[in-house]
Every structure is written in structure tokens, then in C-alpha cells.
Amino acid sequence: MNIKNTFAVAKEMEALADKYNELAAQASVEEVRKIYTELTYQLDELQSKLLQISQHYPEEQEEKVVTLKHEIDELPAGSEMTLLHVYASENLALVEDEAMELYLVPFDAIQG
């Protein structure tokens, strides 16, 4: 599996879900609002399955707090993140910040 490509697709799904959330907030008809909300939920579920997070964790996987050893893109060194999944074969880790934004970082860039 190419996790970098998978992550890029997951981020596109997240952007689409955000757009549906905006449309739901603007909808004046309750039925239309429910449809957009359901589409958002379904996209969130697919993203979780795709990235193997949330209730789709492998059984032995648990969330834990980690710290970035050095700056990565816009993430400063020392940032505390929640480790969601380790893709050992690609030496990458999926982490989430306090704003619930997902990042794919090198596994050796985190400690904890």
C-alpha cells in the first residue's frame, strides 16, 4: 500500500466532507440538511476505514500522546500529537493535533 497516496485521498475526502458541512449549515430545508449531514458522516467513516483509525483500529492499537522531535512542515518541534496509527512498512505515522487535523509524519520524528 502506498500510504502517502492513501493519505492524499483521505484528505480529499475530508475536504469534501467539510464542503457538505457548509452546505448543511446553509440549507433552509431540513430534509436537505439531513442528507448533507449523512453524506458527511459517511465520508468520515470511509476516511477512518481507509486510514485504519477510530473504531477501525487493529485490536492491539491504542491512541497515545507523542511529541515531535523536530519541525515538520508547519508543525513545530515539541508539538504534542495523538498517535493514531503506525504504518511500519513505510516508516510513517498518522498523528492528529489538538484541532483534530491529521498529519502523516516520519515515524522516527516522534517520541513518546
Side-chain angles (χ1 to χ4, degrees):
M1 168 163 95
N2 179 341
I3 190 57
K4 289 183 180 181
N5 184 58
T6 301
F7 184 70
V9 170
K11 293 301 275 183
E12 289 177 28
M13 293 168 71
E14 183 179 312
L16 186 56
D18 289 345
K19 204 174 266 270
Y20 285 147
N21 270 333
E22 290 174 18
L23 291 171
Q26 296 170 3
S28 58
V29 178
E30 182 65 28
E31 188 62 31
V32 173
R33 196 170 329 160
K34 286 181 181 179
I35 290 169
Y36 284 131
T37 301
E38 180 60 26
L39 289 171
T40 298
Y41 173 77
Q42 290 174 6
L43 283 169
D44 288 344
E45 280 295 300
L46 286 173
Q47 183 189 42
S48 292
K49 285 179 184 178
L50 187 64
L51 297 174
Q52 299 177 335
I53 56 176
S54 186
Q55 69 270 29
H56 306 288
Y57 280 146
E59 287 185 30
E60 70 281 357
Q61 179 73 31
E62 291 183 24
E63 287 184 4
K64 69 178 191 176
V65 176
V66 295
T67 305
L68 290 180
K69 293 180 190 177
H70 52 81
E71 182 177 335
I72 298 175
D73 297 326
E74 69 272 11
L75 300 171
S79 297
E80 286 194 349
M81 312 287 280
T82 301
L83 175 64
L84 299 176
H85 194 76
V86 175
Y87 305 98
S89 64
E90 299 189 46
N91 194 36
L92 294 168
L94 182 67
V95 296
E96 181 180 66
D97 66 9
E98 291 178 356
M100 298 180 72
E101 186 69 30
L102 297 175
Y103 300 92
L104 195 59
V105 299
F107 181 69
D108 56 4
I110 58 174
Q111 65 185 21

